[in-house]
Amino acid sequence: MIINKNAIKVIAFDADDTLWINEPYFQKAEHDFCALLENYLPQHAVSKELFETEMNNLSLYGYGVKGFILCMIETASRISAGQLSLKTINKIIAIGQDLLRMPIELLEGVEDTLVRLSAHYKLIVATKGDLLDQERKLKNSGLQKYFHHVEIMSNKKNEDYIKLLNKIECPAENFIMIGNSINSDVLPVLELGGQAIHVPYHVTWTHEQASDEVKPINFLQVESLDQLLPILL
Amino acid sequence: MIINKNAIKVIAFDADDTLWINEPYFQKAEHDFCALLENYLPQHAVSKELFETEMNNLSLYGYGVKGFILCMIETASRISAGQLSLKTINKIIAIGQDLLRMPIELLEGVEDTLVRLSAHYKLIVATKGDLLDQERKLKNSGLQKYFHHVEIMSNKKNEDYIKLLNKIECPAENFIMIGNSINSDVLPVLELGGQAIHVPYHVTWTHEQASDEVKPINFLQVESLDQLLPILL
């Protein structure tokens, strides 16, 4: 897959696990949650129940920490069959609130890459999640100054990218998306006629894991953000 | 207060309780919640406790239904001092999920007003709340087609309006905000040099109630949206 850099006017970056570390904090939270409930079910079974609750509520809650906390409470309530203490409920809320206060640790090479790309392209952020939470993380990242536009999206399907492209008045062929999720960052953009580069992160939420049918031969993968520089400059 | 209609290029509308009915559903939810807990505290005291929890968590959760559900659970847990049944927790989650499924009932004259104003001005929506929930309500309202831009904001303070005006590339003097909250829709916009019209709704969330010091002499008030027409056309 060859990137046509001459066509690119806007480079969009996913945020969580593309610019900064996120999923390990969710996995730690989930681990703590499962450990809280191991008197009722083995931890891997709690994890499976939680994922089911999340998928059942996804169309109602959308993405983000607050929905995650609500799903943990609902799951705990269900699997304990009414035996759960309110102390546990309070611990679950505390696990969730800690996620809303997670420190921002930039991934390697991110800031230098943004500095150098911003001299040549319009950079934007395109991310899912809770509105306030994503704004807070971006502010705490210190990266806001490199971005012309920040779009916090309720989803990242084709129609959501169409809306985004209309909003920023950018034709798909002048747009490239950079992110760690094949399903959310790469495939929909390619389908619309844009370009995309996959920067895998070592852990991915089950929901974002692409099926085996997707062959990386269809798109470019790099190992870290600084590898974008020789491709895009 | 005289509106200078010749300066106006963009008319921004608040959504909840400006375009459609919202607060009565929240008040019904809160009433049901307080009734659930009246074995522990009188209903007005539960309501006061809930409001305190909401204000304590506002900077962490922001506005919207999901934060409201989390605050109901936290409040219930606190005032029951550990005596609460999980059945009650599940009822609280159900009360909250009903809010996320609330039917959209437009306020009187809204659609006709938007039709007529959209022929002369660029109309936008500027609203607080959960991202997905506000998008869903707008979609269900059938009003989306009248708006050039929809901005779901984490807050509506001066700095949030500055960001919005930059995003839509509209100077404050060409901007007018229409909404039911003096604190969120009127005062910050006036301070920035824009115009604003207050359309009071018969119930307002305590947090949005303006202090007595605000005299409506400083801005225009109309009783319903269709009264905008003789002023703006």
Side-chain angles (χ1 to χ4, degrees), chain A residues 61 66 77 90 97 135 154, chain B residues 61 66 77 90 135 154:
Chain A
Y61 293 157
K66 286 181 288 184
S77 171
N90 294 343
Q97 290 196 346
E135 285 181 0
S154 58
Chain B
Y61 292 158
K66 285 180 288 182
S77 171
N90 294 342
E135 284 181 1
S154 57

Side-chain angles (χ1 to χ4, degrees), chain B residues 29-47:
Chain B
E30 182 169 329
H31 177 267
D32 293 348
F33 170 72
C34 293
L36 263 183
L37 295 175
E38 63 182 348
N39 286 346
Y40 304 106
L41 270 185
Q43 294 197 22
H44 71 273
V46 178
S47 173

Side-chain angles (χ1 to χ4, degrees), chain A residues 57 59-62 66 69-70 77 82 84 86 90 97 101 130-132 135-136 152-154 167, chain B residues 57 59-62 66 69-70 77 82 84 86 90 97 101 130-132 135-136 149 152-154:
Chain A
N57 286 320
S59 66
L60 200 59
Y61 293 157
K66 286 181 288 184
I69 309 176
L70 288 168
S77 171
L84 199 64
L86 280 163
N90 294 343
Q97 290 196 346
R101 297 189 186 101
D130 280 324
L131 190 58
L132 181 64
E135 285 181 0
R136 178 170 34 217
I152 299 166
M153 303 161 78
S154 58
K167 201 180 239 185
Chain B
N57 286 319
S59 66
L60 199 60
Y61 292 158
K66 285 180 288 182
I69 310 176
L70 288 169
S77 171
L84 199 66
L86 279 163
N90 294 342
Q97 291 197 345
R101 296 188 187 101
D130 279 326
L131 190 59
L132 182 64
E135 284 181 1
R136 177 168 37 217
H149 180 93
I152 299 165
M153 303 160 77
S154 57

